[in-house]
Amino acid sequence: MKILVLGCPEEAHARHMGQALRAAGASVNYLDTTQFPARLRLSWCPQTAEGTLCFESGDRLSLRDIHSVFWRSLGEPAIAPLDPALQPVARQDAASLLRSLIRACPARWVNSWRAYDFHKEKPRQLQRVHALGIPIPETLVTNDPQEVLAFAQRRDRLIFKPVYGGAHTRQLTPEHLDAARLRHVLGLAPVTLQTYIPGTNLRTYVVEDAVYAAEIRSAALDFREDAQAELIPVALPEAAQRQCVAIARALGLTWTAIDWRQPPDGDWVFLEANPSPMFLFFEQRTGYPITQALVETLTR
């Protein structure tokens, strides 16, 4: 059974999954897209939908022989320095073939490109989950200073964060609402504003129909900044488990980590679903068999 790990073999989670899959008897190659086009060769024929990958090791793999793919990370193709007029052409050509090959590969993807697209479009992800009847924070995504001010004036406590990701959540202060500052920063990039939800941090991992949950105890606004955060396994009611599975399916996710806030006197509030979450620390602290569940999914 031939399985690809999409990512760099030096990255901890990619390396861990490769080792676990090999221990289960699978043949594993790493599809490190940062090696393309200099050290990774890709070919695809539209007439036959036949494709091949040739790795730096000399291994050659047909798309039709790949049983499944674990999506850890998709790196940008590494384009050598070129004439400035040719650099964007080479970058677009590399990205086009790479995207075509990924979409054409008939293997089972965990997760798919559709799921990856949803993650890149987080406002749309929130809308899709809200349409399921699941609470989300009151949210505004904008680069309009007037909209920011109007949103802030009607609400007591707000947080802000990037639209796509890449930085931690911060609390909105009066200094952030200074007119000149707003014009400057919103001229650089839009922002996501949300009502602050008091209560408990929860993270649920979903692998197909299995759901694993833990409370994350932390005094930090964004628990990712807290090295002392505690993870306490919790048993979820069946209704909550069904919600987690419904979110994963609505977003095209075979597996995901979902972040929630649980107010003291209200329903869980959905924050985000990640299509390629880190999980080793969570697994080590809780004892949940996430690796085993992923291996079973990829080798089935």
Side-chain angles (χ1 to χ4, degrees), residues 20-75:
L21 288 162
R22 284 174 177 145
S27 171
V28 176
N29 288 97
Y30 288 91
L31 180 57
D32 182 357
T33 52
T34 64
Q35 293 188 347
F36 181 64
R39 293 181 289 164
L40 175 67
R41 309 298 182 197
L42 308 179
S43 302
W44 188 63
C45 180
Q47 297 97 319
T48 62
E50 296 284 350
T52 59
L53 298 86
C54 185
F55 300 93
E56 192 173 24
S57 64
D59 289 349
R60 185 176 291 272
L61 194 58
S62 167
L63 292 192
R64 295 190 183 279
D65 292 337
I66 300 168
H67 178 76
S68 60
V69 185
F70 178 74
W71 187 309
R72 175 55 196 147
S73 62
L74 179 67

Side-chain angles (χ1 to χ4, degrees), residues 205-220:
Y205 282 87
V206 182
V207 186
E208 297 190 287
D209 292 330
V211 181
Y212 309 99
E215 175 186 339
I216 303 175
R217 292 184 182 173
S218 171

